[in-house]
Amino acid sequence: MPTSNNQKGFQIFLLLSVFVVATCGLIYELVAGTLASYLLGDSITQFSIIIGTYLFSMGIGSFLSRYFKNNLIRWFIQIEILVGVVGGFSSTALYLLFEHAAYFKLILYLLVGVTGTLVGLELPLLMRILKDRIEFSDLVSQIFTFDYIGALLASIIFPIVLIPYLGIMKTSLLFGLFNVLVALFICLRFKSEISAVRYVIAQGIAAALFIIVGIFFSEDLLKIAEATAYADKVIYSKSSPYQRIIITKSSEDIRLFLNGNLQFSSKDEYRYHEALVHPGIMNAATPRKILVLGGGDGLAVRELLKYDSIESITLVDLDPSITQLFKSNPLLRELNQSSLLSPKLKIINEDAFLWIRNNKRKFDFVVIDFPDPSNYSLGKLYSLSFYKELKKIVANEGCVVIQSTSPFFARKSYWIVDETLLKAGFYTLPYHCYLPSFGEWGFVLASPTDHLSDDIKGTLPSLRFINQKTFKQLTYFPDDMSKLPSPVNTLNDQLLVQTFEKEWAHYTQQ
Amino acid sequence: MDRRSFLVKSGAALVGSTIVPLQSCQSPAEIKKQLSGPNRKFGHMLLNGKFPNHSEEITTPVVIVGGGISGLSAARQLSLNSVDYVLLELENQVGGNSSKGSNSVSSYPLGAHYLPLPGKHDPDLIAFLKEVDVITNFVNDIPVYNEYYLCFDPKERLYINNHWQEGIIPQNGILADDQREFVYFHELIRGFKELKGADGKEAFCIPLSFCSNDPAVRKYDKITFKDFITKHKLKSPYLLWYLNYCFADDFGGKMENISAWAGIHYFSSRKHSANQTTDLILTWPEGNGWLVEQLKKHSISKTISNSVVYNVTIENGKCIVDYFDGMQGVSKRLISERVIMATPQFVNQRILSGSLNRKLDYLKFKYAPWMVANLTCSANLENKRGEQLSWDNVIYGSNGLGYVNANHQNVNLYTDQRVLSYYYPLTGDNDKEERQLAYKRNVDEWYSLIINDLNKPHPEIDKFISDADIWIWGHGMIRPSVGFISEVSALAQASIENKILFTHTDTSGVSIFEEAFYLGTQAARKIIME
């Protein structure tokens, strides 16, 4: 009697193992498919290829199972542990690698292949382990029954319970843990038949602990994934309703990223901001009333405040999170010399286009420091309509400066900005300078009247970059950046956004 | 898009997906739903025909019945020429199929929502657009349009194969054979654009009265568009979908129930001058309701709204218009030299006196019922990859026409709330049955029909909707069925004794702003000239 009881318990135990193993196997497949859809888009293609690759790899695993001759139980357990770790950490690995891997798809399919192969080994090995212990027809029937039930369970709980409540990382880690636990239980059950069993148990416990730690910290993994995207330490990260703000710091450099795009590096931002502000000031007849659009970091304002003659500065930046941050953070205040706290400054957190359309006052000098025209929303701020509105608020003898992306990386885009300003009735003076952290960068100086000059006398002696001699050079465009015949960017035909996208694609493709 | 920002976004999507089930506890009762439509009380009064006898007689040179686009255009033309008139409007406000609504987030269209740039036959329309600053100036006689009113980029996107592609002609995942059929079709249309009849007139243009009467062209009105397509052996399901989409959009019909002439006209009547390479259109948050606001400035003091015209006839050489003033609760009689009937024929059938003996088969007039829903929505309508939220957002294979972002013409960068105008015509052959179906559905049934469709590209969008203003047009736009344009249109536009003129676009068979403006303006001009 005890033997038959034992036998029954043994069977139930093994079939439960099959059930868990099968569920885990399908979960890994679903995790890979879901993640590929998230990261690469086009869910039909991703799911289809992932499922195919996975099933094919299981076939490879089944084929390879014939080469395992001895110590089957031990092999089975070790494969289980390996499946648990590889499958469990698959989503984490893919997330972390997505940023850096040049051949992300290759890694994705390789990982799917490895997991599939290991899962494919499981059942053939298990059947061979059990073939002498259970009647063959029962064995086949029971193993496949539980295999398919497990698959059904996995496919139902994955979308309904797991993804909504656990998220994708915790799901794969949890099922990795189940795999390892099955290995450990089998290990304990077949203690006597396994050589160096303690060593195997130690392996299993280590893997289980490893995964548990992973589950515990999975909340932070996304942050780690984000942090690894930046070369330096992330010291500030916040999502405002408008953008994701990240500040990184190394021993001698502070960098600001908005939606992942570098805005400045403290090492060379002085070049950018001197070039942005001073040629325009020199070209405005009486720079008393100044408007800054964008530029919530206060760095352009810092440059403006070097002139005592300036009476008032109005800063319009959509995102209060940025202006608040650069007003209050000591490190950043050191950088902008507390410019945002100046009594001459008025900060307005509004949409620049709406504000400029409703504004009736005139300004002597306008600094425009918007993000690049990388989407149709931002592209509106580089349109003919915007520049027509702009022209209404610039004093006749005043001027405007516009950061206009790189004339080297996005040459056509740069000259579209210039052409659009000309079409709006401005006279323009294009110039560019070299920024070590960005490369060649372009600006356009524009005025309602024909008085702009590349000969700026009497620049402040305290400046490190801009002076009369330098600026003259900056207005010269070598042949590889020189003016192109360009179309005009309008709200109804945003050629700039399309051009910009194409031009930068050359430099961002991996 | 660069990969970094993408990672952040997809991360946010993951985090978002874990929160969503908690939000689903939100009671659907929080969504403010409203079902409305044109004034049916007045409509039923007309059917019953019981009105008090008129208590007052007023004499005026001209009466305009109906304040839709053609009535307003006629009124504008009369005002510009200092001819006195009275405009009677059934509804609370003028506008007809170009009416609008509004809430705290935006104004929005209840019907027509855009105007293609007018062509060379429309000098009056061009003058009107100049008057209201839609055209800012002319360069070498070519109009320069106000950038704020030209539809901004991105204009159209199509959700197909789980992906938003640019433009509404299917491209994403389309096989070469299908693409060849599109090329063939466009070639065919190019030919029709240039085609001229034996009378030297363009085969297809706007206004319709400029189109050639050559039987070689008019023969297309004798067959359905389906017959035409079959003759050309076109059968790509993507092309057929696209064609049906266009006909549902413009006629509330489908290939099987509209005339080939009307279908070809849709594609080949708009020819742009050399400097306009793309199909540009003008649009406003409230759609053509914006144009109504501009038009009605001319007639506001001469308009009597809430008035049910119940009898129009000619007695002793004078036109008689009897109407019930819904505000005062009394009937009045207008005696005039001329009447402009800017009302659809299903209404004229009830109010024109039988003694006028108008030879018109009213059964030939078929109007598709429409549902227009304006949804106030805070959802992010952009998928991880694919085209950005556009002006017109169409779902492939759906019975609805997709949605228009009413806030598209706003210049500001970020919007947390938008109004989406979702259009749904009932395109079945039997417009009467379709109308009954449209009226039978209650507000919740309509709402879930809309949400089920929008869920395809935007799962769980209903959690982000706060208001749903659902509007039913029992008689939407006229549907140009086979033979209508060649056999019925001219009869419908014929005046009665040169005293009662007909200007509604259902007399043309094509319900578009340009046609309404032209018919109204021409009728007024005819009165002014004499």
Side-chain angles (χ1 to χ4, degrees), chain B residues 58-66 71-88 295-304 334-340 524 527-528:
Chain B
I58 306 154
T59 309
T60 179
V62 183
V63 176
I64 301 172
V65 183
L72 290 173
S73 305
R76 168 180 172 272
Q77 192 64 26
L78 292 178
S79 287
L80 289 178
N81 290 278
S82 314
V83 174
D84 201 19
Y85 62 91
V86 171
L87 191 156
L88 299 172
L295 271 177
K296 82 174 193 196
K297 284 176 188 161
H298 292 279
S299 48
I300 205 150
S301 62
K302 299 177 200 272
T303 302
I304 308 172
L334 290 171
I335 302 169
S336 64
E337 298 303 319
R338 301 291 179 88
V339 176
I340 294 176
I527 291 171
I528 296 156

Side-chain angles (χ1 to χ4, degrees), chain B residues 280-344:
Chain B
L280 295 177
I281 55 154
L282 298 158
T283 189
W284 300 267
E286 61 272 57
N288 291 1
W290 188 89
L291 292 167
V292 169
E293 286 303 300
Q294 312 306 314
L295 271 177
K296 82 174 193 196
K297 284 176 188 161
H298 292 279
S299 48
I300 205 150
S301 62
K302 299 177 200 272
T303 302
I304 308 172
S305 48
N306 296 302
S307 27
V308 194
V309 174
Y310 60 87
N311 179 40
V312 177
T313 189
I314 301 176
E315 278 176 21
N316 306 324
K318 297 276 181 194
C319 300
I320 306 285
V321 176
D322 293 325
Y323 74 97
F324 174 74
D325 187 323
M327 298 301 277
Q328 299 178 3
V330 293
S331 296
K332 296 180 183 178
R333 168 164 290 189
L334 290 171
I335 302 169
S336 64
E337 298 303 319
R338 301 291 179 88
V339 176
I340 294 176
M341 298 298 292
T343 30

Side-chain angles (χ1 to χ4, degrees), chain B residues 17 96 101 141 153 205 236 271 298 370 381 446 496:
Chain B
S17 67
D141 286 344
D153 262 346
C205 61
S236 156
K271 296 149 215 192
H298 292 279
W370 283 65
L381 299 164
W446 273 118
I496 298 175

